[in-house]
Amino acid sequence: MTRNEMNHDHGGDGYKKNSITLGGAVAMGTGVMIGAGIFALTGQIAELAGPLFPIAFIIGAVVTGFSSYSYIKMSNAWPSAGGIGMILQKCYGPGAVAAGAALLMALSMVIAESLVARTFATYLLRAFDIEGGPLVPILAVGVIVFAFLVNIAGNRSIGLFSMVMAAIKIGGIALFGIAALWSSGFDFAAASQDAVDFGAMGFVASVALAILAFKGFTTITNSGAEITDPNHNVGRAIMISIALCVVVYLLVAFGVGSSLTIDEIIAAKDYSLAEAAEPALGQVGFLLTVLLAVVATASAVLASVFAVSRMLAMLTDMKMIPHSHFGMSGPIQRHTLVYTVVIASFLAVFFDLSRIASLGAFFYLIMDMVVHWGVWRFRRTEIGASGVVILAALGFDAIVLVAFTAMKLQSDPAIVAYAALAILGVFLFERAYLSRWLAPQDGPAHS
């Protein structure tokens, strides 16, 4: 471990060992996943996958399970705050490849914050029968600022808040799914019988968004050094979070599908759960679903801000990204909180949900592939990892990325161009800043 990492993991910049329990880590992971996966992405996944959209969540979980293997094995060996930055540096050294991929991860997390913040605003306004308009970005920025205020209160406040919110929304959302299925007589197919054939390419592309619904497990990785008994509990928390989310997602997906046709889900894709609740559960059910959405998305923004600010602080400590105080006092972690909130607010104001989700998918999949290749190429023997599992994860990512890119080239080629330019820009920026693509690293991987 480098000196910067050691300093970072032993109390610098407000990092506190053993400040997050296993339950708190699970709550953080599910907090990010459930907020984005159910409320922000269900309708968009249905738009690509058609009647098979619940199965897309299952495939997304399988792909995520393979992907999490690399992160768990590396975190078990080197638990670290801002863990993805550590994983990349351990594989590629502190050069532009590691820094660029880490920055893509951080940006995808900021994108997720803006996505979920806009979803929070969209659902809240549905309670007042308001759709769209200037209140959406105003409320989105408001919940991002709220997340900032809770974050500066410290880790224990976040852990307690996350656990309470996770319990409320997992129980409440599961009840919604069961009630919606019960009211429909457990009849999913009838609601989808008029849907068109969306095609195999559309289904595979939808898995890219389903993967976004599970990528909250990286929140746990990024807080590795702060979790109690991290060598064991990081992996446990990741697997528990994914398993919980699979159950909740399937309940909700079938609940929505039993209440609405695919056309209705797509038409209401930004607030599909609220739309499904009214015919299934009446006005009271509708309002309770809106309340659940507000709770879930607010806590998801909170957990995401927590994770990305720490990741950016670690990358700064590791000299992988430049940093400016802009006249602010206090530790670097406080500064990165401010940067995170400002960027997420900008995106929430100027970009719609569909494009935000697409950018997040492109950024995350590229970063994930860089991680898998690095672990397979440089560290798999040292950490005792299976090369077959890592290569399978890499292959799944590649298949999904190709399908998603092909679909977007047909429906919105501009977003593909924006994503490609942004990804290229990130790596060229890091190459100019660090003056090298790869750098020597400690350990047998680079000896």
Side-chain angles (χ1 to χ4, degrees):
M1 181 175 286
T2 65
R3 184 172 60 185
N4 281 331
E5 287 177 84
M6 292 178 64
N7 291 339
H8 201 87
D9 288 349
H10 291 279
D13 270 351
Y15 293 84
K16 301 174 184 175
K17 290 190 66 175
N18 301 320
S19 63
I20 303 174
T21 64
L22 174 61
V26 171
M28 281 171 49
T30 56
V32 174
M33 286 190 267
I34 291 178
I38 286 299
F39 297 104
L41 295 172
T42 298
Q44 296 189 48
I45 291 171
E47 188 174 26
L48 291 172
L52 296 176
F53 76 95
I55 309 302
F57 281 113
I58 297 177
I59 303 301
V62 171
V63 173
T64 303
F66 275 89
S67 286
S68 67
Y69 180 77
S70 295
Y71 299 85
I72 291 172
K73 296 295 284 187
M74 290 293 288
S75 293
N76 286 347
W78 297 287
S80 172
I84 290 172
M86 175 278 299
I87 290 171
L88 287 160
Q89 191 194 53
K90 285 289 183 183
C91 293
Y92 297 100
V97 172
L103 191 52
L104 283 183
M105 182 67 223
L107 290 173
S108 78
M109 294 165 74
V110 175
I111 288 168
E113 290 163 27
S114 60
L115 172 73
V116 180
R118 280 192 72 100
T119 305
F120 163 87
T122 301
Y123 272 87
L124 181 59
L125 291 174
R126 290 302 298 164
F128 305 97
D129 201 25
I130 299 173
E131 185 175 345
L135 284 176
V136 171
I138 291 171
L139 289 172
V141 172
V143 76
I144 292 170
V145 172
F146 166 75
F148 169 77
L149 295 175
V150 175
N151 267 273
I152 62 176
N155 290 9
R156 295 194 182 279
S157 299
I158 293 166
L160 177 62
F161 184 87
S162 295
M163 290 182 72
V164 172
M165 291 300 99
I168 291 172
K169 67 188 179 184
I170 289 173
I173 294 169
L175 283 175
F176 158 81
I178 294 169
L181 278 169
W182 184 274
S183 68
S184 70
F186 294 88
D187 186 2
F188 181 83
S192 306
Q193 62 187 1
D194 297 326
V196 298
D197 181 7
F198 286 70
M201 184 70 76
F203 177 80
V204 176
S206 74
V207 175
L209 296 179
I211 290 170
L212 280 187
F214 290 100
K215 85 176 185 72
F217 81 84
T218 57
T219 302
I220 300 167
T221 307
N222 286 350
S223 301
E226 298 168 288
I227 296 172
T228 56
D229 189 14
N231 301 81
H232 297 99
N233 282 341
V234 169
R236 291 170 182 164
I238 287 172
M239 299 315 295
I240 293 170
S241 297
I242 293 173
L244 280 173
C245 287
V246 169
V247 174
V248 173
Y249 289 174
L250 287 179
L251 279 172
V252 171
F254 282 108
V256 170
S258 67
S259 300
L260 303 175
T261 67
I262 291 299
D263 288 343
E264 288 170 336
I265 296 172
I266 294 170
K269 64 181 179 181
D270 291 347
Y271 48 89
S272 57
L273 265 69
E275 194 75 4
E278 193 154 15
L281 308 174
Q283 183 66 17
V284 173
F286 167 77
L287 292 174
L288 287 174
T289 303
V290 169
L291 178 61
L292 276 173
V294 169
V295 169
T297 49
S299 61
V301 173
L302 171 66
S304 186
V305 168
F306 175 81
V308 72
S309 64
R310 269 121 181 104
M311 182 175 178
L312 287 172
M314 183 182 189
L315 295 180
T316 302
D317 284 354
M318 295 166 70
K319 311 301 182 187
M320 295 172 77
I321 58 173
H323 179 77
S324 173
H325 293 271
F326 291 108
M328 293 183 289
S329 59
I332 289 176
Q333 175 262 324
R334 181 70 59 84
H335 304 167
T336 56
L337 269 176
V338 174
Y339 306 156
T340 300
V341 167
V342 169
I343 297 170
S345 297
F346 175 84
L347 290 170
V349 169
F350 292 104
F351 290 87
D352 64 55
L353 286 176
S354 180
R355 283 190 160 182
I356 290 173
S358 296
L359 276 178
F362 282 122
F363 283 19
Y364 177 75
L365 286 170
I366 293 295
M367 180 283 307
D368 202 44
M369 292 172 72
V370 174
V371 167
H372 296 319
W373 175 255
V375 174
W376 181 84
R377 175 69 179 82
F378 297 116
R379 293 291 184 180
R380 74 180 188 277
T381 302
E382 184 179 1
I383 63 175
S386 166
V388 173
V389 175
I390 297 171
L391 288 178
L394 185 62
F396 290 147
D397 278 351
I399 292 168
V400 171
L401 179 61
V402 169
F404 189 68
T405 302
M407 290 295 292
K408 286 299 172 182
L409 283 172
Q410 294 177 23
S411 63
D412 187 9
I415 198 63
V416 179
Y418 296 154
L421 289 172
I423 292 167
L424 181 62
V426 163
F427 281 102
L428 291 179
F429 167 79
E430 289 290 4
R431 176 66 175 79
Y433 174 63
L434 295 171
S435 303
R436 56 194 175 185
W437 288 110
L438 300 173
Q441 176 59 294
D442 61 306
H446 292 268
S447 60

